[in-house]
Amino acid sequence: MVPRTNDSEPESRLDRRPQVGPDARPATAPGPGPDERADAGADGRVVALRRVAAAVRRRRAGRFTGCAVLLAVALTAGSIAVGNVRDDHARGVAAAPGAVPAVAQAGGDLDESVAALQAHLRSQPRDFGSWAVLGLAYVEQARVDGDPSRYPQAERALKRSLGLRPDNDQALAGRAALAAARHDFTGALRLADRALRRNPYNERALATRVDALVELGRYRAASEAVDTADTRRPGIPVFTRYAYVRELRGDVRTARQVLRRALGNAVSPGDVAYVATALGRLEWNQGDHRAALRHYARALAADDTYLPALEGRALAQAALGDRAAAVRGMEAVVARAPLPGALVALGELYEERGADGDRVRARDQYALVDAWTALARAGGVNPDLDTALAAADHGDAALALSAARAEWSRRRTVHTADALAWALHVNGRDEEALPYARRATATGYRNAAFLHHRGMIELATGRTKDARASLTAALELNAGFSPSAAREARAALRKLEADR
């Protein structure tokens, strides 16, 4: 089944309402003052924590249209892997007809929309629909601003909505989105199902249901769910999910076709930037770095501040050998949003460049991952997958394994299987790692990092023929997937050839 257009969508459906998601532009607001200077003898993690907090303040004081990069919030399994950042797909907030102030319905400034909703609710405190919109808007603020303190506010607003109108689908869908943001995907699925029993056409609930099933590793059910969502609410939020589900199952051709169709339907700059970036990532995963650059250029033409496109462009530039541009681009990304994927990528770019001071610079980026983890946990977000991936290559091997096991106990996706396999490998437990590495590559998902991990584990277990095949496949798929890992794969293959 191929996603349909939106032409036949009933005009009466509930979710044609305020765009307070990635397309909105946060208001300029004064930050809390100059960055604190660390004492010369301060602990490195304290320094890193301050730097992350300073970046959050800079982001809250800036204006960046369509910014959907997350800090200590709603990061999904694929969103941290270098070259495979995948932000949340939410595009709007549901509300009862006529319940939302005009500024919110206009889909403009997110902070102004929140302020308008708050003012409206002071005069109309029993408006359950606007309480639901406000709750979802707080979730969006957490995403855009990197401010996990919004989650308790979101929860209170959504509870207020449900207190006024028990089981209303807008608030239930909002609670599902909040649960997903906190990585409670089982709870998100349960709440999305409750919302859909009340209103089968609730777009947010349909989208969150797909996301929850994907993040729980239930890919067959996710495929069925996205088909249902396409039947009920065709449009960009569903198209992008449809493409990702197909990509996870190895159907790159359909994923590409669907994303191109979605891009053709995109109108707002935020939607154009978002879908073009998704196409860029798809081509990146297939090793077509020039095609990826073209898509990132289109995304940035629509919104020149869109961080996922800026990060993707830097990775593509690095793969094409333009290291200077890649470093500059990734430094700009990290200055605004010090998230693990970008931090690790920048650290590896520094190591690859090898200039004076680059080794220290790289260590600083890896230390910032620890600071991000601390902030994420403080905000009620589970960062175990992010911790496992970063720590396995650039940190504490025991911590990587502990985090990967914890994440595997909660959800069994290809990403968690890969993370657990690699964490076991760096702890010298390769026979135990191999089944997880095989599971990570079993769905047909084309990911060079997964193939590299599998190949190195096969090599460590003496399966030289399998290792040669996996490492060759990784480099043939995407030779620039990671400077250090690609170098390791090539060195291993040279040794295998020399030992023949």
Side-chain angles (χ1 to χ4, degrees):
M1 180 176 181
V2 176
R4 305 182 295 113
T5 65
N6 212 27
D7 297 341
S8 61
E9 183 179 359
E11 291 295 324
S12 61
R13 289 180 183 168
L14 295 177
D15 289 57
R16 294 181 182 277
R17 280 173 284 263
Q19 295 296 313
V20 292
D23 298 341
R25 182 186 293 269
T28 300
D35 297 346
E36 296 180 44
R37 301 283 184 184
D39 293 333
D43 178 82
R45 291 195 179 191
V46 174
V47 175
L49 193 61
R50 288 175 176 172
R51 287 181 59 194
V52 173
V56 173
R57 293 198 297 269
R58 286 194 297 273
R59 291 184 63 209
R60 297 194 69 178
R63 298 174 66 90
F64 4 103
T65 303
C67 179
V69 178
L70 318 180
L71 177 62
V73 290
L75 288 167
T76 54
S79 67
I80 295 304
V82 172
N84 190 37
V85 180
R86 182 174 63 86
D87 56 12
D88 184 273
H89 302 275
R91 282 293 178 216
V93 176
V100 185
V103 64
Q105 293 188 29
D109 187 288
L110 176 57
D111 289 348
E112 288 183 5
S113 296
V114 168
L117 283 163
Q118 291 169 335
H120 172 76
L121 285 164
R122 281 193 289 273
S123 63
Q124 301 290 334
R126 298 191 62 79
D127 184 346
F128 75 92
S130 287
W131 280 112
V133 175
L134 181 61
L136 272 167
Y138 284 143
V139 175
E140 293 298 322
Q141 280 189 321
R143 295 175 62 257
V144 173
D145 293 340
D147 183 2
S149 70
R150 299 294 186 185
Y151 288 150
Q153 292 178 287
E155 189 167 9
R156 287 193 295 271
L158 294 166
K159 283 184 177 178
R160 183 73 177 269
S161 177
L162 289 167
L164 291 166
R165 181 68 63 86
D167 274 356
N168 77 81
D169 66 285
Q170 300 104 309
L172 289 171
R175 288 188 65 192
L178 178 60
R182 288 171 159 169
H183 279 186
D184 177 11
F185 297 111
T186 299
L189 180 59
R190 175 177 52 80
L191 288 161
D193 283 339
R194 281 181 61 188
L196 291 170
R197 284 195 293 270
R198 301 290 296 179
N199 173 16
Y201 296 97
N202 186 301
E203 183 177 66
R204 180 59 67 105
L206 287 165
T208 300
R209 187 171 194 276
V210 175
D211 293 341
L213 289 167
V214 166
E215 299 307 332
L216 291 169
R218 296 172 56 182
Y219 298 130
R220 186 182 299 276
S223 182
E224 294 170 357
V226 81
D227 284 344
T228 298
D230 177 52
T231 299
R232 296 178 185 174
R233 292 301 305 262
I236 286 175
V238 173
F239 284 11
T240 51
R241 286 167 169 82
Y242 192 106
Y244 187 63
V245 169
R246 293 299 179 269
E247 184 187 0
L248 284 171
R249 302 183 72 178
D251 188 358
V252 173
R253 179 179 178 182
T254 299
R256 184 182 289 114
Q257 290 173 342
V258 171
L259 287 174
R260 286 175 175 170
R261 187 170 183 179
L263 187 58
N265 288 339
V267 176
S268 72
D271 280 348
V272 172
Y274 175 72
V275 181
T277 298
L279 270 165
R281 291 178 189 136
L282 181 69
E283 298 302 350
W284 161 267
N285 278 340
Q286 311 316 307
D288 192 342
H289 305 126
R290 295 192 184 282
L293 274 181
R294 289 194 296 273
H295 290 304
Y296 292 134
R298 181 164 183 183
L300 293 167
D303 177 4
D304 62 3
T305 66
Y306 190 54
L307 281 169
L310 290 168
E311 181 175 350
R313 183 178 67 180
L315 292 170
Q317 289 168 333
L320 291 168
D322 192 351
R323 185 184 300 147
V327 169
R328 286 195 305 271
M330 200 63 72
E331 285 175 338
V333 170
V334 163
R336 285 170 50 189
L339 299 173
L343 290 167
V344 169
L346 180 56
E348 292 186 347
L349 285 171
Y350 283 143
E351 290 190 76
E352 186 74 6
R353 186 174 66 179
D356 288 345
D358 273 349
R359 189 175 297 277
V360 173
R361 294 186 186 97
R363 285 200 301 267
D364 286 345
Q365 307 315 305
Y366 306 143
L368 280 169
V369 175
D370 292 340
W372 176 89
T373 300
L375 285 178
R377 290 196 189 281
V381 179
N382 165 35
D384 280 334
L385 181 64
D386 317 315
T387 299
L389 290 168
D393 284 324
H394 304 289
D396 183 330
L399 174 62
L401 182 54
S402 174
R405 285 197 186 282
E407 194 66 9
W408 181 254
S409 71
R410 286 185 289 267
R411 51 191 179 116
R412 302 191 171 187
T413 69
V414 292
H415 294 90
T416 51
D418 171 70
L420 181 52
W422 196 238
L424 287 163
H425 167 73
V426 299
N427 280 274
R429 302 169 67 168
D430 292 288
E431 288 292 348
E432 189 179 351
L434 187 55
Y436 295 105
R438 288 172 173 166
R439 182 161 177 165
T441 55
T443 68
Y445 181 47
R446 293 165 56 83
N447 187 298
F450 289 11
L451 289 166
H452 162 250
H453 289 165
R454 176 172 173 163
M456 297 306 296
I457 291 166
E458 288 167 338
L459 183 61
T461 58
R463 295 168 171 84
T464 55
K465 181 179 179 180
D466 293 339
R468 185 180 293 108
S470 295
L471 294 171
T472 300
L475 293 171
E476 287 179 349
L477 175 60
N478 185 358
F481 70 97
S482 162
S484 59
R487 184 171 60 250
E488 181 182 57
R490 286 190 291 268
L493 284 171
R494 285 195 298 269
K495 188 174 187 307
L496 284 169
E497 290 303 310
D499 291 344
R500 272 187 166 183

